[in-house]
Amino acid sequence: MTNENLLLTALPRDLYKRIENKMEQVELSYGEILNRPGEPIEEVYFPLTCLISVTITMMDGSTVEAGVVGSREMVGINAFMGGQETTQTQYIAQVPGKAVKMKAHLLLHEFDTNKSLRDVMLKYTQAYIAQISQNVACNRTHTIEKRMARWLLESSDRLYSDELILSHEFLSHMLGVRRSSVTETAHILEKKGLIECSRKKIKTINRQGLEEVSCECYGVIKEEYNRLLSFKRQHSVV
């Protein structure tokens, strides 16, 4: 499995080499909480082979899944956007794996003093906002089949794998539907020969077909990230 975070590979090679010794690779376990609502952001994370679930806590204490962070993103964006703590947002490891960790104050210092890093982070912020906006439109206008196909493709991209260890319950939270609806939709995609399902595992067996079923949002967001950050595999993150 490739170990790289595309946001880090978007940095100029000399800059990455200079700040590399300020980073530490860690292994995140399933269910590990990285940031809780209201807590100061002490560390930022750049996922390599894990998926981080982004949840929003409402006033009554209930939580809603708002998205995921993977190998093209980071956890702790508030650290360089003027805030020192999260609001209602919580980050939980849903798929265990490796990530690169860095002290938030060190990243903030680099952001304040290094234009190259600042440019990458601001472009990433623009791409992330575009993704959130597209998600809102997608959830309002596209069918569950199209949205599930898109979500599987995006997860596969982030994990560098066509085999995903994901429960139907987690997918139901991400898609905002009942678990039974996820199971029914998974069976439809399986009958079309696009995926194979087993307990807590979904494997893509026809990626081109899955892309054809997916809504336009998959391509739109992927192109936006590529356009803004010129994602290229410049150097390995280890």
Side-chain angles (χ1 to χ4, degrees):
M1 179 180 289
T2 303
N3 286 8
E4 62 183 8
N5 177 283
L6 297 186
L7 186 55
L8 292 179
T9 66
L11 297 174
R13 187 177 182 83
D14 59 340
L15 170 59
Y16 174 78
K17 287 297 183 182
R18 190 171 66 78
I19 65 174
E20 186 177 14
N21 63 349
K22 299 177 182 180
M23 302 176 185
E24 174 190 359
Q25 186 173 124
V26 295
E27 192 82 26
L28 300 180
S29 57
Y30 171 76
E32 185 172 348
I33 298 176
L34 305 183
N35 290 121
R36 290 182 170 85
E39 288 184 348
I41 298 175
E42 303 289 348
E43 296 166 325
V44 297
Y45 295 83
F46 298 87
L48 301 176
T49 63
C50 59
L51 277 185
I52 310 299
S53 175
V54 184
T55 65
I56 304 296
T57 303
M58 309 303 288
M59 294 291 289
D60 62 1
S62 62
T63 60
V64 177
E65 304 277 355
V68 292
V69 173
S71 60
R72 66 185 184 191
E73 293 118 355
M74 65 170 291
V75 172
I77 191 173
N78 302 44
F80 61 84
M81 292 301 293
Q84 296 182 339
E85 59 188 29
T86 62
T87 50
Q88 293 94 344
T89 309
Q90 180 166 272
Y91 296 86
I92 308 171
Q94 287 288 358
V95 175
K98 295 180 176 62
V100 170
K101 180 173 69 172
M102 184 178 183
K103 293 294 184 182
H105 71 88
L106 294 178
L107 179 65
L108 178 60
H109 173 75
E110 293 293 338
F111 181 85
D112 288 340
T113 59
N114 192 302
K115 184 179 185 302
S116 294
L117 184 140
R118 183 163 61 250
D119 287 347
V120 169
M121 291 302 172
L122 290 178
K123 287 179 180 178
Y124 160 65
T125 303
Q126 183 178 343
Y128 192 64
I129 291 173
Q131 178 174 248
I132 293 172
S133 301
Q134 194 75 29
N135 285 346
V136 173
C138 184
N139 291 337
R140 291 289 299 271
T141 60
H142 294 145
T143 66
I144 181 176
E145 183 178 350
K146 289 181 178 293
R147 291 192 289 123
M148 184 170 176
R150 173 202 171 189
W151 204 92
L152 292 175
L153 289 166
E154 290 188 339
S155 297
S156 178
D157 288 348
R158 288 180 169 104
L159 293 171
Y160 307 108
S161 174
D162 287 330
E163 189 170 281
L164 306 175
I165 309 300
L166 300 169
S167 68
H168 286 192
E169 182 178 0
F170 174 54
L171 279 173
S172 70
H173 289 312
M174 295 309 306
L175 296 171
V177 298
R178 293 174 299 177
R179 186 183 183 280
S180 58
S181 298
V182 168
T183 300
E184 180 181 345
T185 304
H187 286 161
I188 292 173
L189 296 176
E190 193 168 25
K191 287 179 180 179
K192 290 182 177 181
L194 305 179
I195 64 174
E196 288 180 350
C197 296
S198 58
R199 188 175 182 274
K200 292 188 177 181
K201 183 185 294 185
I202 300 177
K203 182 178 181 179
T204 298
I205 58 176
N206 183 348
R207 185 177 181 88
Q208 182 177 346
L210 199 61
E211 289 184 12
E212 291 172 357
V213 169
S214 173
C215 59
E216 65 198 64
C217 301
Y218 171 67
V220 168
I221 293 303
K222 188 173 183 177
E223 177 60 30
E224 187 70 357
Y225 269 76
N226 290 339
R227 181 184 70 83
L228 288 168
L229 292 162
S230 300
F231 280 158
K232 297 177 182 178
R233 295 182 175 180
Q234 301 172 5
H235 45 268
S236 295
V237 178
V238 295

